[in-house]
Amino acid sequence: MKKKKLTLPHGIPGHNLSQIDREVHIDEPPAWPINDKLQHVGKRVKRNDAEAKVTGNAKYTSDMQLPGMLIGRMLRSPYPHAKIRSVNTEKAENYPGVYAIHVFSRAFGMAQPADNDKENQFPEIKYAGQPIAGVAARDAETAEEALKLIEIDYETFPFVVTVEDALKPEAPLVFTTNVEQEDKGGGGGGAKGLKTQGNLRGPNTASFYGGPRGDLEKGFSEADVVLENTYRTQVHTHCPLETHGVVVDWKPDFVTIYASSQNTTSVRNEFAEVFDLPMSKVRVITEYMGGGFGAKHALGNFGVMAGHLSKKSGRPVKLMLDRKEEHISAGNRPNSIHVLKVGAKKDGKLTALQQKSHGTAGVGLGAGVGRIAQAMYECPNFSTEQYDVFTHAGPGAAWRAPGNVQGAFALEQLMDELAEKLDIDPLDLRDVIDKSEIRKVERLRGAEKFDWKRRNKPGSDKGPVKKGIGMAQSHWPRITGINASVEVRAFRDGAVEVRSAVQDIGTGTKTILAQVVAEELGLKPEDITIRIGDTLFPDAPGSGGSQVTGSITPPARNAAYKLKMQLLEQVAEGWELEAEELDVADQKIFAKNDPSKSIAFKEALGNMRTGQLLTSASRSDDYGGFMVGKSISYGELGSVQFAEVTVDTETGYVKVDRIVAVHSCGRPLNITQLESQINGGVIQGISYALYEYRVMDKNTGHQMNANLDMYKVPFAFEVPEIETVLVEEYSARSSTDAFGIGEPANIATAAAVANAVYNATGVRFYEAPITPKRVLEALNNL
Amino acid sequence: MNKFSWYQASSVEEALKAVNSTVSESLTAKPGTGAVFKSGGIDVLDLMKEGLLQPEMIVNIREIPGLDSIEDTADGGLKIGANATLAEMMENEKIKQNYQALYQSLNHAATPQLRNMASLGGNLAQRTRCWYFRSIDHQCFRKGGSTCFAKNGMNEFHSILKNGMCSSVHSSSISTALMAFDAKVEITGSKGKQRLVDLDDFFILPGDDPSRENILRSDELIAAVILPKISSDTKSIYKKQGARESYDWALADVAIVADVKSGKCSKATMALGAAAPVPLRIQYAADMLVNEKIDENIAKEVAEAAMERATPLEHNAYKVPLFKALIKRSVLQLA
């Protein structure tokens, strides 16, 4: 590989900014300076699709209307555990307006036995709401009427829906053999090859940070203080505004799928696999995305069903889940029962950290409490055992920082308690145990903005309505997808277009791509046409792991740089100069040393030899190499959040008054969009801390609050004042040196709120959400 | 949702002729039969979307002229037409000035958008939000089944009083306030026959008939709610606590209406919502206020007394201290 040396900014402006030399591939563009020397990157650039969205012109999957399109609906099991003896679809088939019926012969979207049971004609029912069959009809009402005419003979069995019950020796079993669940493009799944005993699978004892370290026993024996608590978190369902769904248009030679998806590429791959088609004959389009928080990576059983129905009917079929289906079957954040034990010296230094957790992803895999206890603090002796517990409930899925939100709720409350026990301020304790330079700066800047100094002793307020403040930290790795490619095209009329399969999950990927390419070409972001969310364009990673920005903006810049150099060569030739002697700015190309030589970018394109220029680039390896494989970059996305709450100790109601969220994501690309994303993460974190939880009826196996009436998502009054502080951090890892923020924004909030509630009341809440019920039970010894 | 026919009623007479079933009756009837009323359509639509209600016909009473008027009564009270929306009630100056607890209950009900559609009559006649009742997969007492799933199930939002048979709570928080004002319900039957009943008697307990939550028969329509005149000493307080502040049902709500002069109470009524399968008057506790000076002690005593008969279930014992807190604060606010 031909290399060159780049000198890049390194460190935190205002703290330790310096420069670093990196050997990089010869094709890499020159280093960008820090943001205050750039024109579009790092600025508050308006979303390029804002107008389309607010005027309703943006067409989401659920808006799609195709000629001859049918509506698909699915029949779901009313029983949580059953065998299907027979299915009779005759009456439904004859119902007027019905065009196709399909009955599943295998289950999708859940853990699968390692040796797939091919004996049975129908998959076993393992949760109430599991789809069995589907109908495509001229409208939803007809489809629903037809579903009622499908006759199913069930043999029902005992079931279990809580972790505690599932672990009892006599518990009904969800799976009777070892199971695995494939990670569909970042959408969850569990550690591979673990044994299942009863309903228990695991333990998982390692992550990409390694396995256990040191000697726990020795660590605890060296400790001056040992604390151990059990923390519990709830099952959190997936409530995007737009539910899961697809429109599948199966034509004899080509299938087009409109998908409300976080991952166009993986949906294409999965569809091609399930229907045994070449990937080149499947096109997936996600032009606008109505929200996804981790559960929208896979094709899903609804996508498979829509595929069959479209294939059978020869018409496009739209199958969008309704809200109840979304709650029950579309993926959730598993719960956790998390025992965490810490040993520490008087000065705060940790000597041992032991973690054991059980959680249920229902019929799926992926319960666990993440890597945060393993990775965030210095502690020589550490072990973790994380178990999946199967229950007869809808499958878990990735959910905004899988495991880590549960993990932080425990770890950061335990650190708060440790600080109190050692009589050290929680921020000072972190200074002792946290080696992260970025979080150190975040603590400093956050404490000042929040005015942390005013913190009183727990339960200081005299009246029944008490104020409290608390803080918590988060850790998240820098995940990078190298299967990330971008094309840039420039046309003779001056138009510039960026193309990639990457989807904009709603966070503003379209806008940052325009910013990066405009910066490189000396154009304005609004001059760049962004065509993404379509697998006809080059592959890109899913919107998961907070990886999109770090994965897709470097190839976007590199492709634009290549295109620029091709154009500059053509211009330079006319001026009898070398391309390197030219530069771009303000929509112009000019000779660096001769101001008289200048041409408008558009004019230069008009003069080019071909009708268009086309370049592409794929994600290069990180400058300086990856930390793990080709997927985890060095550095991290840490944050510190501060919360201020009011607790009414007589009504039990907790209100969050203010959050200060201090975050870093390398080089920030668009400040407004970052703030929006942090706001969203904070609001979801508050909701996790105080409001949302799935209610399963242990007697009948149904989710009782599968709607937005009884499942409490936050509305306007629940949203506090949220202030964000962004800390720029340069680490010289790629041509943009930028990373994402989606997941880190959501990790620390619940723990910060819980610590603030403790500070207000002097009573520790070990279980989320902290509802009036829980507060009153604790304060009244009920 | 099933397909249905639509009947546009232009008079009460026409409406009563077209209808042949209460919503409650329709829930246990053969799917695709029966004609039921709809005004704002909030609850009817929800029940239909859940597949619980599958009528043959919807009789729209929303456009009936005059049924939405709000006017003074001859004796100085207020008559509110059943078709008046919650939003229209909130705009009424007399409600705002004289019936403050009612105004507060309106202000905390649902969302502004829902209040623009929801009618007073529909609010009184709505069915419980008990999640077993609302589930197509649970045939409970109220839907002709033989059990109450909440009793030994997930009952944190359920009743703590009079919960022997069915532990649902009535969902109308407007009724909590109306009951404390001693409101009456005017009901029109076939051939224009009218009857006037106390709001207390409008609601019925599951023990009397689990399939219904009120006395309405299939040939009757709520015409209006009548509020008696209040005195210049009347104070009214309404407090509600939900699981969240925005748009939520009550975990507990309390209304107290009392005549108070110079800090001393001469007459009081109190009603609790989300405590029992019906909005519940707790008169014996309110009576403790009579001839008392309003202070912390009496407030606590009333709160304790109001909850002394509570029989909480496995997951809702928290409602007892919650009601006590709301009652105590309401009483203190009378001073």
Side-chain angles (χ1 to χ4, degrees):
Chain A
M1 180 171 101
K2 271 192 162 177
K3 288 190 171 183
K4 64 180 177 186
K5 194 183 84 180
L6 283 187
T7 301
L8 299 113
H10 192 263
I12 302 165
H15 177 66
N16 62 357
L17 184 66
S18 63
Q19 290 191 322
I20 193 168
D21 289 341
R22 300 261 194 231
E23 289 271 307
V24 303
H25 192 277
I26 193 88
D27 289 343
E28 289 292 317
W32 269 346
I34 66 168
N35 275 351
D36 71 358
K37 300 200 169 58
L38 295 178
Q39 205 177 355
H40 307 299
V41 163
K43 305 298 179 287
R44 292 184 178 274
V45 173
K46 192 182 94 177
R47 277 174 198 263
N48 45 20
D49 55 7
E51 204 174 309
K53 284 185 173 181
V54 299
T55 56
N57 286 324
K59 293 290 176 246
Y60 294 78
T61 301
S62 50
D63 294 322
M64 292 310 302
Q65 295 290 346
L66 301 178
M69 189 178 82
L70 304 174
I71 301 296
R73 301 288 296 144
M74 291 203 282
L75 179 68
R76 293 173 180 274
S77 170
Y79 304 109
H81 189 192
K83 270 207 168 85
I84 297 174
R85 292 201 195 99
S86 67
V87 179
N88 184 349
T89 59
E90 201 184 322
K91 283 182 193 160
E93 278 162 26
N94 292 327
Y95 192 74
V98 170
Y99 286 75
I101 294 185
H102 181 75
V103 182
F104 276 130
S105 57
R106 58 172 277 222
F108 292 89
M110 60 167 77
Q112 304 284 348
D115 47 344
N116 217 332
D117 174 18
K118 300 218 166 62
E119 298 286 294
N120 292 317
Q121 193 185 350
F122 308 107
E124 188 176 90
I125 298 302
K126 294 183 188 296
Y127 67 97
Q130 183 177 323
I132 296 166
V135 168
R138 64 183 171 216
D139 54 38
E141 289 74 20
T142 305
E144 275 166 26
E145 282 303 317
L147 288 180
K148 290 181 201 161
L149 300 175
I150 297 177
E151 292 160 342
I152 300 181
D153 183 17
Y154 296 96
E155 181 184 357
T156 61
F157 302 109
F159 55 88
V160 63
V161 295
T162 69
V163 168
E164 289 85 351
D165 289 345
L167 292 175
K168 287 177 183 161
E170 71 278 15
L173 295 182
V174 179
F175 296 103
T176 49
T177 60
N178 289 326
V179 295
E180 299 291 340
Q181 188 176 7
E182 225 182 302
D183 173 358
K184 298 289 186 193
K192 298 211 181 342
L194 300 177
K195 291 267 169 282
T196 301
Q197 269 196 310
N199 287 319
L200 192 63
R201 185 183 187 270
N204 184 10
T205 57
S207 76
F208 52 66
Y209 290 122
R213 53 179 191 255
D215 178 344
L216 271 187
E217 211 174 310
K218 182 166 157 280
F220 283 119
S221 71
E222 287 165 3
D224 296 319
V225 173
V226 174
L227 291 175
E228 179 179 344
N229 291 311
T230 302
Y231 302 87
R232 287 180 163 80
T233 60
Q234 70 275 39
V235 173
H236 191 189
T237 67
H238 199 246
C239 298
L241 203 54
E242 181 182 46
T243 56
H244 283 65
V246 293
V247 178
V248 177
D249 187 6
W250 189 301
K251 294 277 190 289
D253 58 341
F254 194 68
V255 182
T256 304
I257 302 165
Y258 301 86
S260 179
S261 175
Q262 299 179 226
N263 195 336
T264 55
T265 304
S266 71
V267 169
R268 177 200 62 199
N269 295 354
E270 201 183 341
F271 196 93
E273 187 194 323
V274 170
F275 289 95
D276 198 20
L277 293 167
M279 289 182 189
S280 58
K281 295 204 168 179
V282 181
R283 177 187 187 188
V284 175
I285 301 170
T286 304
E287 198 185 354
Y288 289 98
M289 170 65 174
F293 306 104
K296 281 187 177 176
H297 283 81
L299 174 62
N301 47 40
F302 56 89
V304 176
M305 179 56 76
H308 283 293
L309 293 173
S310 180
K311 187 180 179 186
K312 285 183 177 180
S313 66
R315 286 167 171 248
V317 172
K318 180 196 266 188
L319 204 166
M320 301 298 298
L321 300 192
D322 67 19
R323 189 55 64 184
K324 185 175 178 185
E325 295 175 298
E326 184 76 14
H327 278 289
I328 289 171
S329 66
N332 55 60
R333 176 183 275 160
N335 65 357
S336 68
I337 301 171
H338 182 178
V339 182
L340 198 58
K341 183 177 175 184
V342 67
K345 300 296 256 183
K346 281 193 188 108
D347 63 0
K349 283 209 176 69
L350 305 186
T351 60
L353 195 54
Q354 186 179 13
Q355 179 173 53
K356 191 171 178 177
S357 76
H358 292 84
T360 185
V363 296
L365 292 179
V369 289
R371 302 163 293 260
I372 191 163
Q374 183 179 15
M376 194 150 71
Y377 297 126
E378 239 170 346
C379 181
N381 307 300
F382 171 82
S383 87
T384 185
E385 289 176 47
Q386 304 184 22
Y387 291 91
D388 266 288
V389 182
F390 296 114
T391 53
H392 291 101
W399 210 127
R400 212 167 186 170
N404 288 258
V405 180
Q406 298 94 306
F409 183 76
L411 179 69
E412 290 300 275
Q413 283 208 76
L414 187 62
M415 290 303 123
D416 202 58
E417 194 173 329
L418 179 64
E420 187 180 27
K421 191 96 179 173
L422 296 170
D423 200 20
I424 303 176
D425 182 276
L427 291 179
D428 297 340
L429 175 66
R430 265 72 172 194
D431 285 341
V432 174
I433 62 178
D434 185 358
K435 60 183 188 298
S436 155
E437 195 66 18
I438 185 74
R439 273 193 301 265
K440 188 171 126 191
V441 175
E442 287 172 348
R443 282 193 298 275
L444 275 169
R445 296 185 186 174
E448 196 188 323
K449 176 116 185 161
F450 186 74
D451 189 16
W452 175 256
K453 287 195 304 286
R454 71 204 149 108
R455 183 167 176 269
N456 290 319
K457 289 240 174 301
S460 294
D461 278 359
K462 291 287 172 269
V465 179
K466 299 176 190 298
K467 290 247 180 207
I469 63 179
M471 57 78 61
Q473 302 197 146
S474 75
H475 161 87
W476 188 253
R478 290 175 165 184
I479 300 171
T480 303
I482 59 164
N483 186 40
S485 303
V486 178
E487 289 174 352
V488 179
R489 285 206 290 184
F491 298 78
R492 195 184 284 287
D493 69 348
V496 175
E497 183 187 66
V498 175
R499 313 201 299 180
S500 171
V502 72
Q503 58 292 316
D504 185 341
I505 192 177
T507 52
T509 305
K510 287 175 188 164
T511 309
I512 57 172
L513 286 172
Q515 288 175 260
V516 164
V517 170
E519 188 78 45
E520 188 58 38
L521 300 180
L523 300 175
K524 295 185 207 156
E526 57 266 37
D527 294 338
I528 314 293
T529 300
I530 305 295
R531 299 251 173 253
I532 63 171
D534 187 336
T535 59
L536 287 189
F537 305 140
D539 276 13
S543 299
S546 304
Q547 67 179 329
V548 165
T549 298
S551 306
I552 204 71
T553 59
R557 184 183 170 210
N558 292 16
Y561 171 69
K562 275 191 206 170
L563 184 137
K564 177 177 84 176
M565 294 315 290
Q566 288 182 13
L567 185 61
L568 294 191
E569 269 171 29
Q570 294 190 23
V571 174
E573 212 180 303
W575 292 345
E576 292 175 357
L577 292 169
E578 295 298 321
E580 285 69 28
E581 294 173 273
L582 272 48
D583 205 350
V584 295
D586 302 326
Q587 299 87 243
K588 286 191 191 78
I589 298 169
F590 57 91
K592 289 186 221 176
N593 295 324
D594 183 356
S596 71
K597 289 196 164 64
S598 169
I599 182 171
F601 196 92
K602 189 175 170 176
E603 201 185 330
L605 284 173
N607 296 341
M608 67 185 172
R609 286 189 288 263
T610 51
Q612 58 176 239
L613 285 176
L614 172 64
T615 58
S616 70
S618 295
R619 179 66 157 87
S620 330
D621 286 359
D622 270 11
Y623 299 172
F626 287 103
M627 186 170 79
V628 180
K630 298 259 185 206
S631 60
I632 308 293
S633 298
Y634 282 99
E636 64 159 302
L637 302 171
S639 83
V640 181
Q641 294 190 355
F642 297 83
E644 183 172 344
V645 303
T646 302
V647 183
D648 186 329
T649 58
E650 290 182 344
T651 64
Y653 194 74
V654 177
K655 183 170 173 57
V656 180
D657 301 310
R658 182 176 178 228
I659 297 281
V660 170
V662 196
H663 284 262
S664 90
C665 53
R667 177 197 297 275
L669 296 182
N670 185 318
I671 307 305
T672 313
Q673 292 186 166
L674 281 166
E675 285 174 355
S676 286
Q677 225 176 327
I678 292 167
N679 287 345
V682 165
I683 293 165
Q684 282 185 325
I686 288 171
S687 195
Y688 186 70
L690 301 179
Y691 306 110
E692 290 178 59
Y693 58 104
R694 184 184 72 177
V695 177
M696 291 298 292
D697 181 50
K698 61 182 189 298
N699 299 319
T700 60
H702 284 266
Q703 184 186 346
M704 298 321 300
N705 58 347
N707 50 49
L708 288 178
D709 182 33
M710 303 310 281
Y711 186 91
K712 314 287 180 183
V713 297
F715 294 146
F717 285 130
E718 283 68 56
V719 177
E721 192 184 336
I722 302 169
E723 293 158 72
T724 57
V725 179
L726 281 170
V727 180
E728 274 176 56
E729 185 207 11
Y730 297 91
S731 54
R733 296 289 167 196
S734 72
S735 62
T736 62
D737 209 14
F739 296 91
I741 201 84
E743 281 156 311
N746 188 228
I747 298 172
T749 315
V753 168
N755 286 336
V757 170
Y758 173 74
N759 181 246
T761 60
V763 176
R764 180 68 68 181
F765 289 86
Y766 297 98
E767 185 164 5
I770 306 169
T771 57
K773 173 179 185 285
R774 291 232 165 85
V775 173
L776 290 173
E777 283 171 351
L779 299 180
N780 294 282
N781 296 314
L782 295 175
Chain B
M1 195 189 296
N2 71 312
K3 295 178 181 183
F4 55 87
S5 59
W6 179 264
Y7 183 84
Q8 184 74 20
S10 54
S11 71
V12 170
E13 200 185 355
E14 241 180 64
L16 286 169
K17 220 176 265 173
V19 80
N20 62 20
S21 172
T22 64
V23 164
S24 300
E25 285 165 1
S26 192
L27 288 176
T28 51
K30 190 166 169 272
T33 65
V36 300
F37 286 138
K38 167 252 150 211
S39 175
I42 309 295
D43 198 34
V44 163
L45 190 66
D46 273 358
L47 292 166
M48 289 176 74
K49 286 196 313 203
E50 288 298 334
L52 296 167
L53 183 65
Q54 301 181 52
E56 191 278 311
M57 183 192 277
I58 295 287
V59 178
N60 183 28
I61 56 172
R62 193 177 176 78
E63 308 300 325
I64 295 175
L67 210 56
D68 60 351
S69 63
I70 304 178
E71 53 200 38
D72 294 349
T73 58
D75 63 355
L78 197 65
K79 180 173 172 175
I80 310 166
N83 260 351
T85 64
L86 306 192
E88 285 163 359
M89 289 169 70
M90 288 181 72
E91 282 159 20
N92 183 281
E93 272 311 304
K94 204 154 175 190
I95 290 175
K96 216 183 266 183
Q97 297 304 322
N98 296 353
Y99 302 96
Q100 284 149 1
L102 176 58
Y103 180 81
Q104 285 305 325
S105 74
L106 292 161
N107 197 23
H108 285 94
T111 64
Q113 291 93 330
L114 284 170
R115 294 197 294 259
N116 284 338
M117 290 302 292
S119 69
L120 173 61
N123 186 277
L124 297 189
Q126 68 181 305
R127 299 305 312 268
T128 176
R129 306 305 296 199
C130 168
W131 44 33
Y132 295 100
F133 174 77
R134 296 270 161 181
S135 159
I136 189 88
D137 297 304
H138 296 81
Q139 273 311 105
C140 71
F141 277 139
R142 286 208 179 280
K143 292 181 290 187
S146 56
T147 190
C148 169
F149 292 92
K151 203 77 196 219
N152 298 305
M154 305 310 286
N155 48 37
E156 63 179 283
F157 295 136
H158 289 72
S159 53
I160 53 167
L161 285 160
K162 301 199 183 282
N163 52 4
M165 181 187 188
C166 154
S167 50
S168 65
V169 296
H170 200 279
S171 302
S172 167
S173 49
I174 312 296
S175 295
T176 310
L178 289 173
M179 188 173 279
F181 280 113
D182 294 331
K184 291 182 191 302
V185 185
E186 189 182 292
I187 298 167
T188 305
S190 55
K191 292 171 196 136
K193 216 168 78 186
Q194 294 216 323
R195 55 174 175 153
L196 194 64
V197 299
D198 288 341
L199 189 60
D200 303 57
D201 299 327
F202 176 78
F203 297 109
I204 58 176
L205 281 163
D208 296 327
D209 182 353
S211 74
R212 306 197 287 167
E213 290 179 72
N214 59 59
I215 59 168
L216 287 175
R217 294 189 296 253
S218 59
D219 59 349
E220 290 183 323
L221 176 77
I222 301 174
V225 170
I226 295 163
L227 287 165
K229 184 182 184 209
I230 56 144
S231 87
S232 57
D233 296 337
T234 302
K235 281 193 168 179
S236 69
I237 311 293
Y238 174 83
K239 287 193 186 297
K240 168 178 165 179
Q241 182 64 56
R244 60 187 170 205
E245 280 182 279
S246 324
Y247 178 32
D248 210 354
W249 307 99
L251 298 173
D253 65 330
V254 175
I256 301 183
V257 178
D259 286 358
V260 182
K261 204 168 186 180
S262 315
K264 210 170 154 184
C265 177
S266 60
K267 183 181 143 197
T269 56
M270 173 164 72
L272 308 181
V278 294
L280 195 65
R281 182 190 294 269
I282 310 275
Q283 196 53 45
Y284 70 90
D287 287 342
M288 292 167 65
L289 288 167
V290 177
N291 297 325
E292 294 288 339
K293 204 163 167 56
I294 303 297
D295 63 12
E296 185 90 19
N297 282 337
I298 190 70
K300 274 189 183 156
E301 279 173 37
V302 170
E304 289 294 328
M307 284 294 109
E308 71 189 11
R309 294 174 196 174
T311 51
L313 307 167
E314 188 184 350
H315 301 292
N316 68 5
Y318 76 97
K319 280 196 173 190
V320 175
L322 178 54
F323 271 108
K324 284 180 187 172
L326 296 184
I327 294 168
K328 188 188 81 176
R329 289 177 186 183
S330 300
V331 170
L332 284 173
Q333 220 170 303
L334 291 171

